[in-house]
Amino acid sequence: MASVHNIVSYILKKHGPTTAMKLQKLVYYCQAWSLVWDEKPMFSVRIEAWVNGPVIPVLYVRHRGQFRIVEWRGDPDNLTSEQKETVDAVISFYGPKTSQWLSDLTHREKPWRDARAGLEDGERGGNEISIASLHEYYGSL
């Protein structure tokens, strides 16, 4: 399994600087599509359903207060060719989209909606988006 920090470094190397919100969504979609295409999780850290969409808290702790992320401590060369292929495909499709577009998309998708069940719009929450819900939903597309 890859370090989430190596994935972020690889995304920034390939995509270039991006907003913190967009980076969170790109990493989320890397996990989702790795479950479908590679039949295994890409990384092991928790994803939570926050107000603006899926967030990986360990990443948030490092980029908190930053709008635009330019660099990240991690080793992009530590990803396998399979992992790089998945990240490249995610960047190719989702990379040109805006942060808000990606946030809106996640709000329409079942894994985020299910994890937010019982919370009001705008209410803070830290419910986990499970690997099982990601696999089930994205595997059905």
Side-chain angles (χ1 to χ4, degrees):
M1 215 171 292
S3 160
V4 72
H5 300 291
N6 294 343
I7 296 165
V8 170
S9 293
Y10 186 80
I11 289 170
L12 292 172
K13 177 181 172 183
K14 299 293 278 198
H15 182 271
T18 190
T19 66
M21 185 161 83
K22 184 173 185 175
L23 185 62
Q24 287 278 354
K25 304 315 172 261
L26 292 175
V27 175
Y28 167 79
Y29 282 117
C30 287
Q31 180 77 310
W33 291 112
S34 177
L35 291 165
V36 176
W37 298 332
D38 307 328
E39 298 183 349
K40 59 188 169 202
M42 186 172 282
F43 56 86
S44 63
V45 298
R46 180 180 174 94
I47 301 172
E48 295 180 357
W50 288 18
V51 172
N52 288 322
V55 170
I56 296 93
V58 299
L59 299 181
Y60 179 78
V61 167
R62 279 193 41 189
H63 70 61
R64 184 178 186 168
Q66 298 177 52
F67 174 74
R68 191 164 181 77
I69 311 301
V70 176
E71 60 185 355
W72 199 267
R73 280 181 316 201
D75 186 353
D77 296 326
N78 276 349
L79 299 182
T80 66
S81 58
E82 182 179 64
Q83 291 164 338
K84 288 177 181 178
E85 188 176 308
T86 297
V87 176
D88 289 342
V90 166
I91 291 170
S92 177
F93 183 79
Y94 297 101
K97 312 297 187 208
T98 67
S99 300
Q100 190 59 55
W101 189 93
L102 292 170
S103 180
D104 292 344
L105 178 63
T106 63
H107 285 210
R108 291 190 301 269
E109 295 174 330
K110 190 170 173 34
W112 181 84
R113 285 194 343 261
D114 286 353
R116 295 281 304 169
L119 296 172
E120 298 292 328
D121 288 348
E123 182 180 353
R124 294 180 100 174
N127 296 341
E128 184 172 10
I129 299 174
S130 72
I131 293 296
S133 70
L134 292 172
H135 186 266
E136 180 181 334
Y137 177 77
Y138 293 100
S140 72
L141 298 180

